[in-house]
Amino acid sequence: MGFEDKHEFTLLQLKDGSPFLVLQSMDDPRLGLLVADPYSFLEDYPIRVGEAEQKLLRLQNIRQVAVLVTVSIPKGEPEKTALNLTGPILINHQAKLGLQVPQVDGKFPNQVYLHMPQE
């Protein structure tokens, strides 16, 4: 939503087995977003996807879609790492299409803080 002029992205794995990835812009090498699979941290995270979004993503079944959420790590405060649950990014890996789908039902808080050990 915030990068409407950027259309080409790739997912980069940070480390084997890590739930964190970088959604890297192919249009602007300075733009990369830290993202994660929310289901690595939450058991239940329902997402509403309207008909318009389903058509844009060319979704025919749930197995086609990957769900990612952005991750924020405040500078100097890694203990405040948080998942943004209000704007999941859905990716149809077969069609190679992605879309941010804002969630407005208010079922979840805006962010969930992760309790991560400090190394």
Side-chain angles (χ1 to χ4, degrees), residues 1-4 23 33 35 47-49 53 56-57 68-70 84-91 97-103:
M1 287 185 82
F3 305 104
E4 292 181 14
L23 186 60
L33 301 171
V35 295
I47 295 174
R48 293 181 190 260
V49 183
E53 289 92 353
L56 285 170
L57 288 169
L68 299 171
V69 294
T70 57
N84 176 355
L85 301 177
T86 60
I89 300 164
L90 304 184
I91 299 174
L97 294 170
L99 181 67
Q100 188 173 29
V101 181
Q103 303 295 294

Side-chain angles (χ1 to χ4, degrees), residues 3 12 14 17 19 21 28-29 33-34 45 57 71 73 84 92 101 107:
F3 305 104
L12 304 173
L14 291 176
L21 303 157
D28 183 351
L33 301 171
L34 185 62
Y45 176 51
L57 288 169
V71 179
I73 305 173
N84 176 355
N92 178 337
V101 181
K107 180 175 178 174

Side-chain angles (χ1 to χ4, degrees), residues 13-65:
Q13 188 172 16
L14 291 176
K15 186 167 95 175
D16 283 342
S18 172
F20 300 106
L21 303 157
V22 173
L23 186 60
Q24 180 64 53
S25 170
M26 301 298 287
D27 302 317
D28 183 351
R30 298 169 296 161
L31 175 61
L33 301 171
L34 185 62
V35 295
D37 173 357
Y39 302 106
S40 295
F41 303 98
L42 301 169
E43 213 173 280
D44 183 38
Y45 176 51
I47 295 174
R48 293 181 190 260
V49 183
E51 280 187 43
E53 289 92 353
Q54 290 178 41
K55 285 182 182 179
L56 285 170
L57 288 169
R58 299 183 198 158
L59 292 179
Q60 296 173 0
N61 66 61
I62 196 68
R63 289 182 185 88
Q64 291 176 292
V65 70

Side-chain angles (χ1 to χ4, degrees), residues 76-115:
E77 299 180 290
E79 69 279 2
K80 292 185 179 176
T81 298
L83 302 176
N84 176 355
L85 301 177
T86 60
I89 300 164
L90 304 184
I91 299 174
N92 178 337
H93 47 84
Q94 291 176 343
K96 298 186 188 238
L97 294 170
L99 181 67
Q100 188 173 29
V101 181
Q103 303 295 294
V104 292
D105 64 6
K107 180 175 178 174
F108 282 95
N110 291 346
Q111 295 183 331
V112 170
Y113 292 95
L114 305 179
H115 299 287

